Amino acid sequence: MTPHLTASAPADTHTAWWQDAVIYQVYPRSFADADGDGMGDLEGVRSRLPYLRDLGVDAVWLSPFYASPQADAGYDVADYRAIDPMFGTLHDADALIRDAHALGLRIIVDLVPNHSSDQHEWFKRALKEGPGSALRARYHFRPGRGENGELPPNDWESIFGGPAWTRTSGPDGEWYLHLFAPEQPDFNWEHPAVADEFRSILRFWLDMGVDGFRVDVAHGLVKAAGLPDIGGADQLKLLGNDVMPFFDQDGVHEIYRSWRRILAEYPGERIAVAEAWTPSADRTALYVRPDELHQAFNFQYLGAPWDAEALREVIDDSLAAMLPVGAPATWVLSNHDVTRHATRFANPSGLGTQLRTPGDRALGLRRARAATLLMLALPGSAYIYQGEELGLPDVTDLPDEVRQDPSFFRAEGQDGFRDGCRVPIPWTVDGSSYGFGSGGSWLPQPADWGKLSVEAQEGDSSSTLELYRSALAVRRTHPGLGRGTAVQWLEAPEGVLAFARDGFVCTVNLTADAVRMPVRGDVLLASGEVVRDGSEFELPGDTTVWWTM
Ligand code: GLC
């Protein structure tokens, strides 16, 4: 019998949306304020969704909006299933998720499983019930050391400065562990009730329709057995990434396996992304094995200086680390915890990610624009922090009395000044708080904020906003741009990076001086002016050009 000939089935060309997604971080306090109380809210975010659709991002990640006393800007959650009244209601969250979906945007919410607020029902009861109680077992309570228990149970320090332990005021005088502020007691993830509760919280938000979670302090949940001393290890840097008995313990992975199973039960490719500060890209890759989380932030990339060799190394390491686990590499330049990259790159490299010096702003912006085109040309998923598309610098001169970051108050001897990247963003040239809202702004905005507003930049082809819009539009029309797992490095003068990917070339000059290079095809987009001269072109300093071949 002649076999019935059929065309061979098309190869599976489906790429999950998150493999090359561009995800925009909204910091709800500082994005848009609909009710005029000076604090951003969910209705504000909802009103600006069309802006995000037009910008061309795939998904929006919202920093926490849950019921919280705001000891750490909402990363201290009192009720994981309720919205803080300052941000709105569950009804607003529902409307936001629905509207986003109608516009083709996905919604990722922040999940804070390492610690709760000290105002969480469990913790309040734990305090009341005293030593040995069932509720205390859900946190890390311990008797103190010293004759009368007056010394902390071990030598761990809080990431925000000071001891990681606070003594309860009750007659028992037990201490409880908080890797962050005292208002953020760490959960004991060995306790089954904690694991059950978070599985239920995941389902609550998945049922609400969210497309995924950003997992806060994903590397911190499990602590080494016996909570051993660190023995005089160096003072931790903010969100430090040293090997510590409270970070990156192997036990965390079982938790993420159980979460992956839940995510997989829901339709629509729901995801989770790890905020995991680990010592290396290889350790980060463990969080995104096929049965764990989907993505992890690439903090090695975020911390890289504006230097060709250093960046090439980080890019190669990141791609190589993800290959064996099959997860997409991710790229990020800014978030709500670090100095905005326009200001980092305005300062001499090597100063770290917590700066209070404005540096050379024009240089910083030039490099920031070039850095964005580099980031968006790399294979994988990219994260944008609200306001970077306006080229916003950090606000480095906030007076001490307006600062709210708990690390500012606790981090003696450290720079823990995260308020500078959290100043509400400008929408309009004039008006109350530059269009952020009608009731001022919870952190003061600089006097030149209007010039950087969306209104000022819209339609101006030389603006940073239009550069982002064009770059994201090109990414959409050249789907190969974000896909794949490798870049092909091309020969380039010292201090210049050049790589090819699928009909596309990216050239980045990380030096201050212009270089001449052979023309690579047609210019698709450039972060600065490019002068073509026959078969060569001049690539100005601190500039990126995208070419199509
Ligand atoms: C994460 C958040 C940061 C917060 C900390 C404690 O690192 O990004 O803003 O302060 O966790 O929750």
Side-chain angles (χ1 to χ4, degrees):
M1 197 171 101
T2 323
H4 182 65
L5 292 177
T6 53
S8 59
D12 182 15
T13 48
H14 174 73
T15 304
W17 71 272
W18 46 273
Q19 280 173 336
D20 59 353
V22 176
I23 300 173
Y24 183 99
Q25 180 187 358
V26 163
Y27 195 64
R29 297 176 142 240
S30 307
F31 190 64
D33 171 20
D35 64 5
D37 65 353
M39 181 67 69
D41 44 47
L42 294 184
E43 270 302 283
V45 180
R46 189 161 78 97
S47 73
R48 297 294 186 181
L49 286 175
Y51 166 81
L52 297 176
R53 187 240 356 243
D54 295 345
L55 182 60
V57 298
D58 300 293
V60 179
W61 147 36
L62 295 147
S63 281
F65 44 65
Y66 311 107
S68 159
Q70 306 288 319
D72 184 20
Y75 283 94
D76 48 319
V77 181
D79 183 345
Y80 290 84
R81 297 179 186 79
I83 310 292
D84 197 279
M86 77 165 48
F87 295 123
T89 61
L90 270 180
H91 177 77
D92 297 337
D94 179 59
L96 171 61
I97 295 164
R98 281 175 202 277
D99 279 19
H101 288 167
L103 291 171
L105 293 166
R106 300 191 193 243
I107 294 286
I108 293 175
V109 294
D110 223 305
L111 185 72
V112 189
N114 181 67
H115 44 264
S116 70
S117 159
D118 63 350
Q119 296 308 306
H120 189 283
E121 214 40 53
W122 286 6
F123 191 76
K124 288 198 290 189
R125 278 169 53 197
L127 280 187
K128 220 185 282 163
E129 285 178 9
S133 77
L135 268 297
R136 284 208 178 184
R138 296 179 188 185
Y139 294 90
H140 296 281
F141 280 86
R142 293 283 184 285
R145 295 201 275 208
E147 220 166 288
N148 301 307
E150 71 283 8
L151 298 172
N154 71 17
D155 65 357
W156 298 359
E157 299 212 351
S158 151
I159 311 300
F160 291 157
W165 295 90
T166 290
R167 194 169 194 187
T168 58
S169 56
D172 59 83
E174 275 197 335
W175 297 69
Y176 67 88
L177 175 69
H178 52 87
L179 290 183
F180 294 88
E183 297 86 354
Q184 294 167 294
D186 279 50
F187 282 118
N188 172 15
W189 270 87
E190 305 293 334
H191 196 295
V194 173
D196 282 351
E197 172 66 353
F198 273 90
R199 283 193 287 262
S200 155
I201 293 166
L202 281 179
R203 288 186 190 283
F204 177 87
W205 287 101
L206 289 166
D207 291 338
M208 283 278 291
V210 303
D211 301 283
F213 301 92
R214 176 262 188 192
V215 183
D216 190 63
V217 196
H219 55 307
L221 275 47
V222 173
K223 278 73 181 174
L227 312 183
D229 279 341
I230 59 175
D234 281 351
Q235 169 73 36
L236 287 170
K237 301 273 183 318
L238 182 79
L239 305 175
N241 57 5
D242 292 333
V243 182
M244 292 286 169
F246 41 81
F247 279 163
D248 196 28
Q249 297 291 307
D250 290 335
V252 295
H253 298 291
E254 203 40 54
I255 299 169
Y256 301 132
R257 287 191 192 101
S258 82
W259 291 8
R260 179 70 174 241
R261 290 194 289 273
I262 293 175
L263 291 164
E265 283 173 27
Y266 284 78
E269 299 173 343
R270 319 277 178 116
I271 68 160
V273 49
E275 185 214 20
W277 295 80
T278 73
S280 69
D282 292 331
R283 290 293 301 179
T284 301
L286 300 178
Y287 291 75
V288 290
R289 286 176 284 193
D291 59 348
E292 296 196 35
L293 306 181
H294 298 73
Q295 294 186 350
F297 289 105
N298 187 343
F299 295 122
Q300 274 86 12
Y301 187 73
L302 185 149
W306 186 242
D307 172 84
E309 224 173 292
L311 275 168
R312 181 171 165 162
E313 197 179 316
V314 160
I315 292 168
D316 282 342
D317 280 0
S318 311
L319 292 169
M322 292 302 140
L323 259 192
V325 291
T330 67
W331 314 101
V332 61
L333 291 164
S334 280
N335 64 32
H336 65 293
D337 289 328
V338 297
T339 303
R340 286 181 176 277
H341 62 278
T343 297
R344 292 207 311 277
F345 294 150
N347 280 284
S349 44
L351 290 184
T353 53
Q354 304 291 328
L355 306 182
R356 282 196 302 163
T357 42
D360 176 341
R361 269 180 68 166
L363 175 68
L365 180 59
R366 203 178 160 73
R367 289 178 171 174
R369 290 164 55 96
T372 294
L373 288 200
L374 165 59
M375 171 173 88
L376 292 176
L378 294 171
S381 189
Y383 282 81
I384 293 175
Y385 176 52
Q386 69 176 37
E388 71 170 74
E389 77 278 21
L390 305 175
L392 295 188
D394 231 61
V395 182
T396 49
D397 58 357
L398 285 172
D400 288 356
E401 58 280 9
V402 304
R403 290 179 180 276
Q404 301 205 8
D405 180 356
S407 68
F408 172 68
F409 301 102
R410 292 180 57 86
E412 245 179 292
Q414 285 192 60
D415 298 330
F417 304 126
R418 299 175 299 171
D419 291 310
C421 62
R422 298 175 175 180
V423 173
I425 64 171
W427 294 91
T428 55
V429 174
D430 313 293
S432 156
S433 62
Y434 306 103
F436 167 65
S438 58
S441 141
W442 68 279
L443 282 173
Q445 299 157 301
D448 66 352
W449 231 217
K451 281 191 268 174
L452 298 168
S453 64
V454 173
E455 185 187 21
Q457 298 197 33
E458 210 148 41
D460 170 0
S461 60
S462 69
S463 73
T464 302
L465 175 58
E466 294 300 343
L467 179 73
Y468 270 73
R469 285 181 174 168
S470 303
L472 293 171
V474 172
R475 242 178 104 102
R476 279 176 182 264
T477 46
H478 288 68
L481 208 48
R483 305 233 170 118
T485 52
V487 298
Q488 181 199 340
W489 294 107
L490 306 172
E491 214 170 294
E494 207 180 319
V496 174
L497 293 178
F499 58 87
R501 326 210 19 238
D502 217 3
F504 172 89
V505 168
C506 177
T507 51
V508 192
N509 184 355
L510 293 108
T511 72
D513 305 317
V515 290
R516 287 183 77 76
M517 292 181 69
V519 163
R520 297 289 181 176
D522 295 322
V523 173
L524 266 173
L525 196 60
S527 69
E529 195 141 334
V530 183
V531 185
R532 199 173 161 154
D533 175 12
S535 62
E536 291 204 322
F537 75 102
E538 193 174 78
L539 179 60
D542 299 310
T543 301
T544 298
V545 183
W546 286 1
W547 308 85
T548 177
M549 292 190 296

